[in-house]
Amino acid sequence: MIRSLDELRARLREFTEVRDWSRFHSPKNLSMALIAEAAELVEHFQWRSETESGQLSPEERAAVELEMADVLLYLAQLADRLDVDLLAAAERKMALNEAKYPAASNRGAAPRKPG
Amino acid sequence: MIRSLDELRARLREFTEVRDWSRFHSPKNLSMALIAEAAELVEHFQWRSETESGQLSPEERAAVELEMADVLLYLAQLADRLDVDLLAAAERKMALNEAKYPAASNRGAAPRKPG
Amino acid sequence: MIRSLDELRARLREFTEVRDWSRFHSPKNLSMALIAEAAELVEHFQWRSETESGQLSPEERAAVELEMADVLLYLAQLADRLDVDLLAAAERKMALNEAKYPAASNRGAAPRKPG
Amino acid sequence: MIRSLDELRARLREFTEVRDWSRFHSPKNLSMALIAEAAELVEHFQWRSETESGQLSPEERAAVELEMADVLLYLAQLADRLDVDLLAAAERKMALNEAKYPAASNRGAAPRKPG
């Protein structure tokens, strides 16, 4: 069982090396594969209303979960390739977001989400 | 410190609720935000060669890390919204990939990566 | 005044050559730039409802028009690079769509758009 | 034969109305469909080198042309929905680019393309 992003990275690295695919996995190419997977996720939702996008049938849900997995697989491979600690980067970004959008001044204030 | 995807999801949920942003976070909208962040990652690499995409200056690298964080933040929020276990989904997807691309038959065989 | 896609292609070719940017414009790179611009379009709509996405202020509308222009600029440059007749390709694709989704059987039938 | 973007828009409008699909075609949704098609274009190039991306087999080339057509079809539908003159917007954007990147100062100067 994969219990952490670190384990996922190690599993993906082995998967890639055994197939001799490392030579295809430049950061440039991985970013392309990542956005292609993100688009497959978007495709599931493009003709649904916002409400319907939260009401997936079991089959649709299973498909959406695999698209989300694909995004994570390429993000983890990019992180491995560039040696990025994803959770640490996420924490840094959240701190920036907290400074940019202070809680008090935003609550209920905006009819529209900023950014 | 954020030590797991579960902790990240909890932190993001609180961040969103305090700002009253949950109403904007339909799966549809989150998938749009996710791909917009994926595109900012792509932008860093679009005019670089594959080799250059692995040779980032410290400033570029810090920016790329934050773009990767943004992708993870929206993926984690989507997972939270749809109640998806990302690592379990990743494991399911990896099993499918292992069945689809057996190691032996692929090694060094293809001049081009399939898929 | 630019009156056709052919004129647009010619103008873009000159713009690129004068700046010695042709060497950056591989189809691979142009596809990345194109999707990055498509994402900036998506960003305008991600926190709006479907209804709101049709109700743009004059400023927002001007910005959206320029994002749409950016998509067209890269699509036209890719067409120029690969020597693709965009209108002819669009006509071929429309014929395929007409065969795939016959009008009679689809009208009012589906609660959800297929594809 | 479709000879202009205006004709393409008219053909698409009819195609959509006959199928009763207008109700799905909010600008928000069309922007999602557009980026999903842009991603299918990216997918063709993600594991190819820049050089290979310009060396398509006849089959690959035909497929790429149809993906490019799909991007144009959604861009034209969005233009129709928002009543945007795409060529006029492209001309405005080109004027902005010419001001932003003057020819003389850029020629051969940059080892990397700006922007």
Side-chain angles (χ1 to χ4, degrees), chain D residues 1-51:
Chain D
M1 209 182 90
I2 299 173
R3 276 158 306 184
S4 69
L5 285 175
D6 284 341
E7 280 187 40
L8 177 61
R9 277 171 62 161
R11 280 278 297 274
L12 284 163
R13 199 181 316 131
E14 192 199 347
F15 179 88
T16 299
E17 283 172 4
V18 166
R19 284 160 186 76
D20 195 20
W21 285 352
S22 305
R23 62 204 156 107
F24 297 113
H25 287 193
S26 62
K28 181 184 182 91
N29 290 4
L30 290 172
S31 77
M32 296 173 82
L34 192 161
I35 202 167
E37 298 301 344
E40 294 189 19
L41 196 54
V42 165
E43 266 188 273
H44 279 279
F45 299 126
Q46 67 194 11
W47 305 129
R48 291 170 200 270
S49 68
E50 289 187 57
T51 303

Side-chain angles (χ1 to χ4, degrees), chain C residues 10-36:
Chain C
R11 280 277 299 273
L12 284 162
R13 199 181 316 132
E14 191 198 348
F15 179 89
T16 300
E17 284 172 4
V18 166
R19 283 158 187 79
D20 196 19
W21 286 352
S22 305
R23 61 203 157 108
F24 297 114
H25 286 193
S26 63
K28 181 183 182 92
N29 290 5
L30 289 172
S31 78
M32 296 174 82
L34 192 161
I35 203 166

Side-chain angles (χ1 to χ4, degrees), chain B residues 112, chain C residues 82 84 92 96, chain D residues 41 44-45 48 55-67:
Chain B
R112 203 163 278 167
Chain C
L82 292 174
V84 172
R92 282 199 301 283
L96 293 173
Chain D
L41 196 54
H44 279 279
F45 299 126
R48 291 170 200 270
Q55 300 165 333
L56 303 175
S57 71
E59 294 73 23
E60 292 162 339
R61 186 192 163 76
V64 162
E65 291 197 7
L66 291 179
E67 306 295 5

Side-chain angles (χ1 to χ4, degrees), chain A residues 27-110:
Chain A
K28 181 183 182 93
N29 289 4
L30 290 172
S31 77
M32 296 173 82
L34 192 160
I35 202 166
E37 298 300 342
E40 294 189 18
L41 196 53
V42 165
E43 265 189 273
H44 279 279
F45 299 126
Q46 67 193 11
W47 305 129
R48 293 168 198 272
S49 69
E50 289 188 56
T51 303
E52 287 167 348
S53 76
Q55 299 165 335
L56 303 175
S57 72
E59 293 73 23
E60 293 162 338
R61 186 191 163 78
V64 163
E65 291 197 6
L66 291 180
E67 306 296 5
M68 293 172 69
D70 275 327
V71 173
L72 184 60
L73 295 187
Y74 283 115
L75 185 64
Q77 285 177 92
L78 185 57
D80 198 53
R81 182 72 182 232
L82 292 174
D83 199 19
V84 171
D85 182 330
L86 280 174
L87 291 175
E91 184 147 30
R92 282 200 300 282
K93 188 57 200 263
M94 285 203 71
L96 293 173
N97 287 344
E98 278 157 10
K100 188 173 178 186
Y101 306 112
S105 68
N106 279 285
R107 184 165 183 84

Side-chain angles (χ1 to χ4, degrees), chain B residues 49-69:
Chain B
S49 68
E50 289 187 56
T51 303
E52 288 167 348
S53 76
Q55 300 165 333
L56 304 175
S57 72
E59 293 73 24
E60 293 162 339
R61 186 191 163 77
V64 163
E65 291 197 5
L66 291 179
E67 306 296 5
M68 293 172 69

